[in-house]
Amino acid sequence: MPPRLRATLTALGAPPDPAALEEIVRAVGGSWAELDRLRRTAGTPVDVSGATEAELRARLASQLPCSTRVVKTAWPTDGIATRMTAERLVSSIDDLWYPATDDLVVLHEDADGTSVLVLDHEERLTVVRMHGGGHGGTGRGRGPQGP
């Protein structure tokens, strides 16, 4: 977990939100174990271990195209989630994700459906685009669409 995650989220204007955690878990299939299955539908994860902070921000921004749209963000190991704008997430990523120590899951919903973005503790970025709009659809990926 990032140090002082709860305090950091609150300072960013995005305090922990238990309802957001429930919504993310439901969208990925009802449990964090389902997230692993879902990620396997995404194709090859992108290794971000050598990425600079600017490169990581650019990659995230390209996957979360509407910067003012609210995304749900979770730290599964810690059981913490929140809602924040994609722009806030991207600009604060160095305070919100610590490589090699935690996973970060981002749920992004728009008219085209739902995307689940995962930055994992092994410094891999995976994006799964799911059918359906709004609330997670069926949980089935559209195929190998990576970042």
Side-chain angles (χ1 to χ4, degrees):
M1 163 192 321
R4 301 178 28 91
L5 178 58
R6 289 180 188 275
T8 299
L9 292 173
T10 300
L12 291 172
D17 181 344
L21 183 64
E22 292 174 16
E23 291 170 25
I24 295 169
V25 171
R26 189 171 40 251
V28 301
S31 75
W32 291 121
E34 288 297 310
L35 181 61
D36 290 335
R37 181 196 57 76
L38 186 62
R39 288 178 68 196
R40 288 192 294 272
T41 70
T44 306
V46 173
D47 180 358
V48 295
S49 62
T52 65
E53 189 175 311
E55 291 167 338
L56 179 59
R57 285 183 176 160
R59 182 155 314 265
L60 290 173
S62 74
Q63 297 301 320
L64 302 168
C66 183
S67 64
T68 59
R69 184 172 295 275
V70 172
V71 297
K72 297 171 190 130
T73 307
W75 294 260
T77 302
D78 305 301
I80 296 174
T82 191
R83 300 169 203 269
M84 67 177 70
T85 65
E87 179 178 63
R88 175 66 49 109
L89 172 65
V90 170
S91 69
S92 303
I93 194 64
D94 57 323
D95 292 322
L96 299 173
W97 178 64
Y98 279 65
T101 61
D102 61 352
D103 295 342
L104 178 67
V105 178
V106 180
L107 187 71
H108 175 259
E109 300 168 314
D110 61 23
D112 295 328
T114 301
S115 296
V116 178
L117 179 147
V118 179
L119 272 170
D120 70 22
H121 62 278
E122 294 178 356
E123 300 181 58
R124 298 174 302 187
L125 172 66
T126 306
V127 178
V128 179
R129 306 218 191 278
M130 300 186 306
H131 292 289
H135 301 288
T138 63
R140 292 188 185 101
R142 287 187 178 167
Q145 294 181 7

